[in-house]
Amino acid sequence: MNCLEFRRLIDIDPVSQDEDVILHKAQCESCAGFASRAARFSTALNAAARIKAPENLASRVLLRQSFLPSKSKFSRRNVFALAASVFVVLSLALSAAVVVNIQDPLAREIFTLVRYADYAMEPKIPLGEKPVAKAIARAGLKLEGRLDKVTFAGNCLLQQKIAGHLVIQGEKAPITVFLTREMQIDSKTAIRSDNLRGIVVPMEKGAIIVVGAAGESLTELVERVAAAVRWRHA
Amino acid sequence: MEETRPKLGLSTLKRSLGRQLGMEKPQQRFEKLVLALSSDIYRYAYFLCKNQELAEDLVQETFVRAWRFLGSLRDERKAKSWLFTTLRREFARQFERYQPRFDDVEPDLLPGERSSQWEVLVVRRAMLGLPLKYREPIVLQVIGGYSGDEIANMLGVPRATVNTRLFRARQRLRKIFEDGVSDIDLDEIEVSN
Ligand SMILES: [Zn+2]
């Protein structure tokens, strides 16, 4: 191996363990100097590439995955395992939500849930009554009337408690509805982020939360949901 | 009576092998992948798209796909290149739709690096300034720890092409590192074969 070949190899792979490379370095002072400069550069290059990943990135990835359908269904055990771990994760992930006029942690949690649950927005075909009733029952409530245009029905964790999570097609865009009987709210509250509007409406026990694009008639939807759901143990 | 006798047979062996081969429940497998690899996946994403927000979106999409197709990953040792390749495809897909914006805020360095912070920042800027075809192989080499053959495989280009690109990229970055400037035209650097 000559000096040119050596230098070219070092430039392609500075940590080459090639026997000829090691041998040449031991024999050629000038190339050994070249190799040590290259090593110093490599250290800087490695450091330059090792940018710091965002805080809680892994938590946010796991949070998102916890909302994805799994082959082995969302079993009750999973839900409770999640209750223990995911809420911690959730509260950490909240910093990513954009909240314009409200510093309330609940509002931030709601917008984060909506933002991360984009998969729930995709279906456009209305569901039958069964999956909707099931999702609502899981939240300790009972579907007693009709709810039209529900395109997603599932559950999520809101303030560490299992809530019903529905998506109902609105005038312009899908509207997300959370139903919970585990929340203490004093009065009806409007919440907003940069592109979403929501209302949190207290029920006799718990709340209905509706989030959609500006211009949707959210109050009307709350009334529809309130009329269809009975606020007691299923 | 025969059935109740404890056996050290095939099933015991299979169970212990299963454990050794990492045949865990999907959830556990997935969590391990995320914890072990999300930072490197993020770094790769960042150097592809040069935007922190977009990089995180790419990471999220990559892991959504990984979760969906976890069953097709048989060998945990291949997980990293599997994720890198998935992210690369996702980037290509999104790149067609969006024009990535440039980041104004530079991501933080990890503490305790041996090079001076300034040198590191200079090199990083220089890396981000490389055209994608030069940037990607060097990022795969440095972040992914891949060999020239592996990079050639992932990028679907001949090994010689990878070598040329690595050589030119390193030349340019080293010149910037050592002299603080570079007037090198990458495509003009002679590569003697
Ligand atoms: Zn020499």
Side-chain angles (χ1 to χ4, degrees):
Chain A
M1 174 174 281
N2 65 34
C3 296
L4 253 176
E5 285 165 346
F6 175 89
R7 290 175 187 215
R8 181 169 182 274
L9 264 172
I10 287 291
D11 258 332
I12 292 168
D13 180 8
V15 290
S16 171
Q17 293 302 306
D18 186 297
E19 270 179 40
D20 289 343
V21 167
I22 292 166
L23 194 68
H24 187 97
K25 190 158 72 179
Q27 290 168 343
C28 175
E29 207 176 306
S30 149
C31 284
F34 175 89
S36 89
R37 283 196 307 280
R40 204 170 86 80
F41 162 65
S42 270
T43 306
L45 183 63
N46 285 329
R50 289 185 63 225
I51 52 168
K52 195 164 169 285
E55 293 281 338
N56 311 312
L57 175 68
S59 302
R60 287 204 290 277
V61 170
L62 290 174
L63 172 72
R64 168 113 190 245
Q65 178 256 342
S66 73
F67 291 118
L68 296 174
S70 79
K71 275 173 222 116
S72 58
K73 282 274 169 75
F74 206 49
S75 74
R76 206 154 272 270
R77 227 194 67 207
N78 277 345
V79 171
F80 290 118
L82 280 172
S85 63
V86 167
F87 188 75
V88 179
V89 163
L90 227 186
S91 54
L92 295 173
L94 292 179
S95 56
V98 183
V99 179
V100 173
N101 75 337
I102 196 154
Q103 296 307 310
D104 180 37
L106 174 63
R108 288 195 286 166
E109 184 178 350
I110 291 166
F111 287 126
T112 304
L113 277 173
V114 173
R115 186 170 160 243
Y116 278 98
D118 51 357
Y119 57 88
M121 304 292 189
E122 282 164 21
K124 291 285 175 275
I125 301 159
L127 297 169
E129 197 190 308
K130 233 180 179 178
V132 181
K134 200 172 149 198
I136 289 175
R138 273 227 169 123
L141 303 165
K142 195 172 179 196
L143 181 69
E144 287 195 335
R146 265 179 63 112
L147 260 184
D148 290 331
K149 295 188 196 163
V150 180
T151 48
F152 174 86
N155 294 91
C156 65
L157 289 171
L158 190 59
Q159 297 207 319
Q160 306 188 64
K161 301 285 164 46
I162 297 169
H165 178 177
L166 308 179
V167 173
I168 298 178
Q169 295 303 309
E171 296 274 305
K172 301 174 196 159
I175 301 175
T176 302
V177 180
F178 299 111
L179 302 104
T180 172
R181 57 191 302 280
E182 305 278 358
M183 193 180 282
Q184 293 298 322
I185 304 282
D186 297 330
S187 56
K188 186 172 159 181
T189 311
I191 56 175
R192 60 185 291 170
S193 74
D194 50 351
N195 52 6
L196 290 171
R197 302 288 178 269
I199 35 173
V200 182
V201 181
M203 301 301 288
E204 41 191 293
K205 194 166 191 261
I208 297 176
I209 297 152
V210 172
V211 179
E216 297 279 2
S217 34
L218 300 180
T219 309
E220 198 194 304
L221 183 58
V222 170
E223 283 162 9
R224 270 176 58 203
V225 173
V229 177
R230 188 143 160 212
W231 237 254
R232 64 158 179 80
H233 280 285
Chain B
M1 295 304 276
E2 193 66 22
E3 285 100 346
T4 56
R5 194 191 296 161
K7 279 190 253 182
L8 270 175
L10 202 59
S11 61
T12 320
L13 186 66
K14 265 188 193 161
R15 266 201 305 279
S16 102
L17 260 179
R19 270 197 294 275
Q20 281 170 30
L21 292 173
M23 285 175 193
E24 300 156 287
K25 294 210 173 97
Q27 183 66 34
Q28 290 166 312
R29 280 184 82 194
F30 186 76
E31 281 172 16
K32 276 190 184 165
L33 288 185
V34 173
L35 292 173
L37 298 171
S38 56
S39 291
D40 275 346
I41 301 293
Y42 175 83
R43 289 177 186 129
Y44 180 44
Y46 177 75
F47 278 101
L48 284 186
C49 71
K50 308 200 261 190
N51 177 286
Q52 296 184 66
E53 205 181 313
L54 197 54
E56 180 161 347
D57 288 349
L58 285 169
V59 172
Q60 288 281 8
E61 279 313 310
T62 300
F63 278 108
V64 165
R65 269 154 215 276
W67 172 246
R68 212 174 283 162
F69 299 107
L70 195 62
S72 66
L73 177 70
R74 299 259 171 255
D75 183 352
E76 235 66 21
R77 285 165 301 181
K78 290 183 178 149
K80 188 165 169 174
S81 21
W82 184 60
L83 289 167
F84 269 56
T85 307
T86 306
L87 186 129
R88 190 164 184 271
R89 280 201 208 107
E90 189 57 28
F91 170 68
R93 202 171 67 82
Q94 299 217 359
F95 193 80
E96 284 170 358
R97 287 189 286 156
Y98 310 112
Q99 272 307 101
R101 308 134 285 180
F102 253 99
D103 245 350
D104 291 318
V105 191
E106 291 194 53
D108 295 337
L109 292 166
L110 289 172
E113 299 295 353
R114 273 190 293 158
S115 311
S116 86
Q117 298 287 83
W118 171 246
E119 283 176 334
V120 170
L121 283 178
V122 165
V123 175
R124 183 191 298 158
R125 282 191 198 128
M127 277 174 85
L128 290 167
L130 291 171
L132 187 62
K133 71 171 181 175
Y134 293 104
R135 192 167 72 236
E136 199 173 7
I138 200 160
V139 165
L140 285 171
Q141 185 185 50
V142 177
I143 297 173
Y146 294 114
S147 70
D149 282 328
E150 288 168 319
I151 296 169
N153 228 324
M154 291 169 86
L155 301 185
V157 294
R159 168 72 199 257
T161 309
V162 169
N163 279 356
T164 303
R165 290 181 188 173
L166 282 175
F167 178 78
R168 285 174 172 164
R170 281 184 171 270
Q171 282 273 307
R172 156 107 121 205
L173 296 178
R174 195 149 61 80
K175 185 139 183 359
I176 293 171
F177 174 71
E178 284 167 3
D179 306 341
V181 284
S182 174
D183 43 13
I184 297 178
D185 180 346
L186 278 166
D187 295 320
E188 296 297 311
I189 297 173
E190 279 303 319
V191 183
S192 50
N193 281 309

